[in-house]
Amino acid sequence: MTIKIVHTRANGTILHGSVKGDGVFEIVRTHGFWFSRNVDGLYIRRSQDRDAQAWRINAAAEALRAAGHEVTIEINEDDRRSFTEAEADRETRADERADRFSGRADWAASSSNARYGTAKKIADGIPFGQPILVDHHSAGRARRDAERIDTNMRKSIEDGKRASYWSDRARAAENYKKHRNDPYRTVRRLMKLRAELRQQERYHAEAIENSYPSAGQHSRLILDLTEEIAHWEEVVVKAEAEGVKVWGPEDFAPGDFALCRGSWYQVKRVNPKTLSIAWNLRLAPKKVMTLKDATDNGRVSTHPADYTDVRARCPEAATIAFLADGKVPGTTSAREASEATPADAVRTAQAEAKKAKPKKKADPRVPRAVRVQCRWDATEATLTFLNGRNQPHKDHQQVTISAADGVKFTESVWSRPLLDEVTTYLTGRGFTYGHDGWRGGPGRGIVRAIAPVEAEREPAGEMVVAPLLPVAG
């Protein structure tokens, strides 16, 4: 028997020349071949629109030849279909699956109802609480009725589960196109595809330079990715034309509020791919989370938010006005405020304010930090003033911190009595701690920023936000 294995990217890998019962399927199934009523011959699943899996094809051919069959192999990688054609075919098959699964769900639901009706009809003919009369002539019928009720109820439950399963499958198939063409998912997909395209272009250039045989494969992948990217870019453009807003870094300025997953978060930084938004796990979920909510000891905790998760923007000034009125911005009012104060205008104003603000030069005579060093169970520790380069300050001598009578610094630099003494000493010298905490350890000592008391300023733009507020607009 002559067997022909043909592979094209348009149709995938198909084995021709086999008939049911000739034993070919049993030989090639271990090499990935399967059968379908929609394919004329045995085929390798998921081989369509891809390069030939030569190792599968050759292994199957060798196994067939060993069984006495004559095998020919034809591979044509240039016979392909465009990505748009392939995607249209996938959508058509999804619609067909939806119809098929919906029919199965309807049949299972009808069977479940019929089984339940039969069981109920039998049960209605038996007086409530009537036991089986063992010595009565009706005992046999009563037992048969009980078995029929049990059987029909079990079948009804099984068919009900089957109906739910096929209903879920049908719903998933019906939503295939909707989810596949969702603009936000598509934007994330485009990021990945563009990265893959750049990678394949590098591989292709390397293969050409070194005369590798894989150059043709990379060339085909580049063509596939280029077509797919163009297709999904059209989907995004169409969605934007229909009124869907796809957010990007040009739409935000630091200080704005972004609506992500149902809550408003203030933006700390605007990055090319994400927003760094205020984040405090202890307060989540919260209707509005500000940078103040995410600030602890002068440090602002942030979390990356993908632009595809953003659904609205509200300028900082407008949000503050809403909060002052005891309201949370709604999407409509936020859109109006965003149109009135676009992000580029906010960025321009911030840049001008930064230029106009005089730069304060740090006084080199003033220490910027202190280092505390102490041994375990010691009664003395050293305090060293540091300059802006974390070097000992030449204008300030090293200080010895002594423990009170009967007290030891048992925990080295982390001893509470030692830290209290350091705080008292610095306060007496007119210094206060910076917002950052202590860093370091007993080995090399701990370091913390300090500043003169008169230089301390309250952070600007801080606000207190109630956890639950009515929505405006």
Side-chain angles (χ1 to χ4, degrees), residues 416 418-428 431 433 438:
R416 176 50 55 189
L418 171 59
L419 296 179
D420 291 341
E421 291 288 343
V422 170
T423 301
T424 301
Y425 176 79
L426 291 175
T427 302
F431 290 100
Y433 290 125
W438 292 100

Side-chain angles (χ1 to χ4, degrees), residues 180-256:
R180 186 78 167 159
N181 292 280
D182 179 84
Y184 301 110
R185 285 189 176 92
T186 302
V187 170
R188 291 194 292 268
R189 189 183 301 122
L190 281 169
M191 291 181 184
K192 180 180 179 181
L193 291 172
R194 287 170 182 144
E196 291 180 2
L197 177 60
R198 292 192 296 269
Q199 182 185 61
Q200 290 300 323
E201 288 174 342
R202 291 194 300 269
Y203 291 164
H204 181 259
E206 182 180 357
I208 292 295
E209 182 180 354
N210 297 281
S211 301
Y212 292 155
S214 60
Q217 179 185 9
H218 295 310
S219 178
R220 290 189 294 272
L221 288 172
I222 289 172
L223 178 59
D224 292 342
L225 289 168
T226 302
E227 287 186 355
E228 186 173 359
I229 289 172
H231 174 86
W232 294 124
E233 285 177 342
E234 290 181 3
V235 170
V236 175
V237 170
K238 181 180 178 182
E240 290 179 327
E242 293 174 352
V244 176
K245 174 60 178 175
V246 179
W247 300 90
E250 67 280 357
D251 298 311
F252 287 91
D256 288 346

Side-chain angles (χ1 to χ4, degrees), residues 127-149:
F128 182 74
Q130 173 69 53
I132 296 177
L133 305 177
V134 179
D135 296 329
H136 196 264
H137 65 84
S138 64
R141 179 178 178 181
R143 289 190 179 93
R144 290 192 298 273
D145 286 345
E147 291 177 1
R148 293 172 62 196
I149 292 173

Side-chain angles (χ1 to χ4, degrees), residues 66-79:
H69 299 284
E70 183 180 346
V71 182
T72 61
I73 300 174
E74 295 181 7
I75 296 178
N76 183 2
E77 301 288 9
D78 296 326
D79 185 359

Side-chain angles (χ1 to χ4, degrees), residues 441-460:
R444 297 185 178 180
I446 55 176
V447 177
R448 188 167 183 177
I450 60 172
V453 174
E454 60 272 15
E456 185 180 19
R457 296 289 184 269
E458 290 295 327

Side-chain angles (χ1 to χ4, degrees), residues 9 53 116 170 237 271 344 412 427 431 444 458:
R9 290 167 63 86
Q53 301 177 44
Y116 176 79
V237 170
N271 310 309
D344 55 353
S412 183
T427 302
F431 290 100
R444 297 185 178 180
E458 290 295 327

Side-chain angles (χ1 to χ4, degrees), residues 19-34:
V19 295
K20 187 175 182 180
D22 61 3
V24 170
F25 174 65
E26 286 73 18
I27 296 173
V28 299
R29 68 178 299 179
T30 57
H31 302 289
F33 283 84
W34 203 246

